[in-house]
Amino acid sequence: MTDTATRLAEARGSLPAHPLDPARPEEYLAGREILAAAGLLGHAVRFAYYGLEEPPKEHVLAGPDGGTGPHFAPGTGGPMPDRRLRAFLIDVVTGESADVVLSLTQRKVISSRTLDPLTDGRVPILNQDFALAEEIVHADPDWRAAMARRGLTDVSKIRACPLTAGSYGVADEQARRMVRVLAFVQAREHDLAWAHPVDGVAAYVDLIERRVFKVIDELDLPVPRESGDYDDPEVRGPLRTTLRPIEITQPEGPSFTLDGNWLEWQGWSLRVGFDAREGLTLHQISLDDQGRRRPVIYRASIPEMVVPYGDPAPTRYWQNYFDAGEYLVGKWANSLELGCDCLGEIAYLDATVAGDDGEPRTISNAICIHEEDFGILWKHTDIFNGSAQSRRQRRLVISFFTTVGNYDYGFYWYFYLDGTIECEVKLTGVLFTSAYPGDGFRYATQVAPGLGAPGHQHLFSARLDMMIDGQANAVDEIDTHGLPVGPGNPHGNALAQTATRLSRESQAGRRAAPEHGRLWRVVSTERANRFGQPTAFTLYPEAAPTLLAAPGSSLYRRAAFATNHLWVTRYDPAHRYPAGDFVNQHPGGAGIPTFVAGDHDIDGADIVLWHTFGPAHFPRPEEWPVMPVARCGFTLKPAGFFDRNPTLDVPPGTRCHPAAPAAPGDGGH
Ligand SMILES: [Cu+2]
């Protein structure tokens, strides 16, 4: 047998347990062989993305038990769907890029499309671009002269950051696969380079020609000198000695079960996935209701995030990073450490991503799964019957952490005993820095002498492929109003809710309205609760500002998804990324604007919610030199999904001695 045949046999012999299981190392290898056999892997071809091409939803739902459960046994339901991988390939000598889908099952390339970078955008940044960008600027005479003019003659001490370029309609830029490079001084090996930005200089690098094609040298600002090396005892001071241990133990083990990627806990069931671009993906989230598995969400993920910076300086106006579409957040996932990143009884899942060469790389302990005490679930001391009851809340936590340049992001999904789902992103790491020009500067906070941290936004997009009690769903916008004094409300205390059905895609680009406590309720148009009301889950937004870049700006077109807090679209398997498939240097208009262009009916349809969240971040001095976690996210709560509080059956804690209810007739006043 040839190598190819052996690998393919291996990949076939060990079929994934389920069609939504993440691609495995042997599958990446087998896929690479198929690409090579099709002549698509020349010596200069690199993988800018490589991952599972998920099977169509209807194929999964046609499986046994609606495709839920740990195993998808072929023969008992539909057949195992075709197993496919998708690769974004780039020839780093010619720049030619292709979007390729291959079938492991059929052992062939299914489709291969060459990108037109002017209209399609470009493939994401490669791993090799980090070292390459530095090598290129270090060798460039103009850039070296700009550094030398600032007294920086030893370029080995200057770190270069390959920053995505955006798209500003400049022909000389659009024609190139390029990054813009800002520089930071790292005088000692362990120095924190971000503390020493060489502001006022930007090098524009053509990654294909491997040269700097322009140096912007506009402002002469001193390089801030104070060390930000928070590992250095001189900088951080002595460690405090007053923290006593907190141990988290579960002597009988956790209450969840994990079978492959299938997770069950306290009535919840779901499948955990992982993708190099999106990171954690959750599938087929259901709730058990008296033995019935009731679907809630078919697929949940955060497929995009953009971090636009608000400093209009000529050397930095273009700073806006699409961390998922341009850098791939999943690819940079951390290996998590027990007792350090996660506390308690932890189950880990590894993640496999591919390197530039398409070789699989396993990130051990990339996904952390555990159970947490979360304070009080419910509590009441009754003044009439004397009952004093208290129950503790718990949540199941599924999380991963990723490092994208200076920032670190933790993505946490929480599932609670009462049916609540929460998504929380933890933002930490090191602020992006600039030189601080002096008092009254509007666009940055001074965080160390002469060091600025520009204001920016973090705008995440959650893609929630909803499935409340089935695929026929709709969204109502719920506002709460105080009513004017008048007939029927003589004392002016009346308050009421209005529910407005978002019937078409064109009506469903919505913003939060905290003054009305605005919520979006996703209802089943087929199932009702005991009151005859549709079963539903409600989305609670946090209502931070949407994209603040000016309408008409390049970013406004490129990050159109972020101009509203909510979009609702009819499900389409091709609609995966809210800023489009190829975000890097894309001129704008891709993603959400094209998804809603057909203005589909979304009342009683298979629908997807796209929810924008995340803070406008004007840094505080306390966020330097490393930032304590800031949080953002959203919550989904059952709203008439159950007929009453679903947690009456939660027992009191073993160390809890609730007062016995008073005997009938004892009640006093
Ligand atoms: Cu920030």
Side-chain angles (χ1 to χ4, degrees), residues 16-374:
H18 192 277
L20 294 175
D21 280 353
R24 293 160 305 143
E26 63 272 24
E27 292 181 314
Y28 283 112
L29 291 170
R32 205 176 58 163
E33 306 277 359
I34 293 166
L35 293 169
L40 292 168
L41 296 186
H43 76 281
V45 171
R46 304 286 180 270
F47 289 72
Y49 166 78
Y50 197 16
L52 179 70
E53 173 78 355
E54 287 176 21
K57 185 195 266 183
E58 64 269 23
H59 293 190
V60 176
L61 295 177
D65 204 10
T68 59
H71 304 286
F72 189 97
T76 53
M80 189 76 161
D82 207 38
R83 183 76 168 164
R84 295 182 174 188
L85 301 179
R86 187 180 190 190
F88 298 168
L89 301 177
I90 176 167
D91 184 312
V92 294
V93 171
T94 64
E96 188 172 288
S97 304
D99 176 6
V100 184
V101 175
L102 65 90
S103 165
L104 294 170
T105 319
Q106 304 174 51
R107 287 177 281 159
K108 66 173 191 186
V109 169
I110 299 292
S111 64
S112 175
R113 186 174 73 89
T114 302
L115 301 188
D116 174 356
L118 296 186
T119 52
D120 289 324
R122 293 177 184 272
V123 300
I125 298 295
L126 296 167
N127 299 359
Q128 69 175 36
D129 293 336
F130 284 82
L132 181 63
E134 185 163 297
E135 198 184 303
I136 292 169
V137 297
H138 279 184
D140 182 68
D142 291 345
W143 182 83
R144 291 175 76 106
M147 293 297 126
R149 215 160 59 69
R150 291 162 172 80
L152 304 167
T153 48
D154 182 357
V155 296
S156 73
K157 292 183 171 154
I158 304 177
R159 298 284 71 78
C161 245
L163 301 165
T164 47
S167 175
Y168 293 88
V170 179
D172 189 38
E173 296 183 356
Q174 292 301 95
R176 303 167 184 276
R177 174 168 170 83
M178 68 170 290
V179 288
R180 305 182 205 265
V181 173
L182 297 177
F184 298 83
V185 175
Q186 187 176 34
R188 293 169 291 105
E189 198 190 331
H190 202 277
D191 205 7
L192 187 79
W194 309 106
H196 314 294
V198 187
D199 205 354
V201 184
Y204 294 0
V205 170
D206 185 318
L207 292 166
I208 302 301
E209 292 179 358
R210 297 193 169 215
R211 68 180 184 93
V212 174
F213 66 94
K214 192 183 236 176
V215 174
I216 312 287
D217 184 358
E218 293 268 349
L219 304 162
D220 221 343
L221 294 161
V223 177
R225 299 178 65 89
E226 187 175 281
S227 174
D229 179 6
Y230 46 82
D231 292 336
D232 179 354
E234 294 268 303
V235 172
R236 69 154 199 247
L239 294 176
R240 66 180 76 177
T241 55
T242 47
L243 284 169
R244 292 180 177 157
I246 293 180
E247 299 292 343
I248 301 193
T249 55
Q250 291 188 273
E252 297 172 31
S255 321
F256 60 82
T257 58
L258 184 63
D259 183 346
N261 285 58
W262 183 251
L263 183 58
E264 294 191 1
W265 178 79
Q266 298 298 306
W268 288 104
S269 54
L270 61 128
R271 187 182 315 285
V272 182
F274 193 88
D275 174 71
R277 179 165 180 168
E278 294 174 273
L280 199 49
T281 59
L282 302 181
H283 308 260
Q284 297 175 294
I285 301 166
S286 304
L287 268 165
D288 182 88
D289 186 8
Q290 293 162 3
R292 224 157 25 102
R293 185 174 279 155
R294 298 176 61 189
V296 178
I297 304 179
Y298 178 73
R299 190 182 191 281
S301 70
I302 312 291
E304 195 53 272
M305 58 173 296
V306 61
V307 189
Y309 284 78
D311 186 339
T315 42
R316 282 189 286 101
Y317 66 88
W318 44 264
Q319 279 192 280
N320 49 69
Y321 312 123
F322 291 74
D323 283 342
E326 293 177 337
Y327 289 98
L328 310 188
V329 293
K331 194 166 78 168
W332 304 104
N334 299 168
S335 281
L336 301 170
E337 209 179 317
L338 184 62
C340 190
D341 296 306
C342 320
L343 278 189
E345 287 290 322
I346 309 293
Y348 290 107
L349 288 172
D350 296 344
T352 303
V353 297
D356 290 350
D357 52 4
E359 282 281 338
R361 178 170 66 87
T362 296
I363 304 167
S364 60
N365 296 354
I367 301 166
C368 168
I369 299 167
H370 73 288
E371 194 178 12
E372 276 178 4
D373 180 278
F374 196 66

Side-chain angles (χ1 to χ4, degrees), residues 407 427 431 456 458 617 627:
Y407 258 103
L427 301 84
L431 298 165
H456 56 276
H458 301 262
H617 183 194
M627 185 180 142

